[in-house]
Amino acid sequence: MALSAETESHIYRALRTASGAAAHLVALGFTIFVAVLARPGSSLFSWHPVLMSLAFSFLMTEALLVFSPESSLLRSLSRKGRARCHWVLQLLALLCALLGLSLVILHKEQLGKAHLATRHGQAGLLAVLWAGLQCSGGVGLLYPKLLPRWPLAKLKLYHATSGLVGYLLGSASLLLGMCSLWFTASVTGAAWYLAVLCPVLTSLVIMNQVSNAYLYRKRIQP
């Protein structure tokens, strides 16, 4: 028996709500897992994985899900209020990423190791730089009068697309980090595969939620 359009819509929204809830839990769980594994404070390097997972797994995931019609934890806020929260979360993510990058650079200097010698390091640097540019671009959305010649709708589209690319870069950096000697020496077998699935799952959810959030805004705009 074929399902009605209304039933299919309810099922689709339920699945998106469930996937969004899973993304919240996975992003938080993965960050806690990395923190327990790294034991922050045990060494200078120990802060690097904690700060990077906090930035690219938890804070950025929450910042992007703020705008999801089904998965946002701040649906009661106005559009402007959620935009402010998004900007604050993204700024915190950038600060964590910059600090994490600075600490690993200092760690390598102390050990006399080469910088950017791995794909993980290169992807991480690119993700941090992209996050910085993304936050700078967000200022134009907070204060559109700074860019009077650019239509606001196009600015939002470009910002959302660029933000999604930046999130995927951050997730790629996390994935490559889980191939490092430090991570593979501590996490093996099924636990390693489960850890790898975390940024993959959140990336898939974010791609779906961001694209649908934009389409949702287009539908409700007069």
Side-chain angles (χ1 to χ4, degrees), residues 14-190:
L15 289 174
R16 280 174 44 78
T17 301
S19 64
H24 286 298
L25 294 174
V26 168
L28 177 60
F30 178 77
T31 304
I32 294 174
F33 172 74
V34 172
V36 172
L37 186 67
R39 294 182 295 123
S42 59
S43 66
L44 181 62
F45 173 80
S46 66
W47 289 102
H48 171 70
V50 174
L51 289 168
M52 289 306 199
S53 60
L54 180 62
F56 292 116
S57 177
F58 180 66
L59 290 172
M60 281 196 178
T61 299
E62 294 302 319
L64 293 174
L65 288 179
V66 158
F67 296 117
S68 171
E70 295 88 10
S71 306
S72 175
L73 300 177
L74 303 173
R75 289 192 295 272
S76 60
L77 293 182
S78 65
R79 169 72 186 177
K80 184 176 181 180
R82 281 179 287 157
R84 296 282 180 179
C85 290
H86 168 79
W87 194 84
V88 169
L89 288 169
Q90 286 288 68
L91 183 59
L92 288 174
L94 176 61
L95 292 176
C96 286
L98 286 172
L99 182 56
L101 179 64
S102 301
L103 290 176
V104 79
I105 290 175
L106 180 59
H107 172 71
K108 286 182 176 290
E109 284 290 334
Q110 291 178 348
L111 297 180
K113 292 185 176 181
H115 300 289
L116 303 177
T118 64
R119 296 296 184 190
H120 167 61
Q122 295 162 6
L125 176 62
L126 182 58
V128 174
L129 293 176
W130 197 287
L133 291 173
Q134 184 69 7
C135 284
S136 299
V139 174
L141 291 177
L142 283 175
Y143 306 101
K145 291 183 179 180
L146 296 175
L147 300 170
R149 297 184 179 181
W150 287 82
L152 186 58
K154 284 190 175 181
L155 284 176
K156 289 181 178 180
L157 176 60
Y158 296 154
H159 184 70
T161 304
S162 175
L164 183 56
V165 172
Y167 183 85
L168 294 177
L169 283 173
S171 296
S173 176
L174 293 177
L175 285 170
L176 290 170
M178 284 183 274
C179 297
S180 66
L181 291 176
W182 171 78
F183 194 87
T184 55
S186 304
V187 183
T188 58

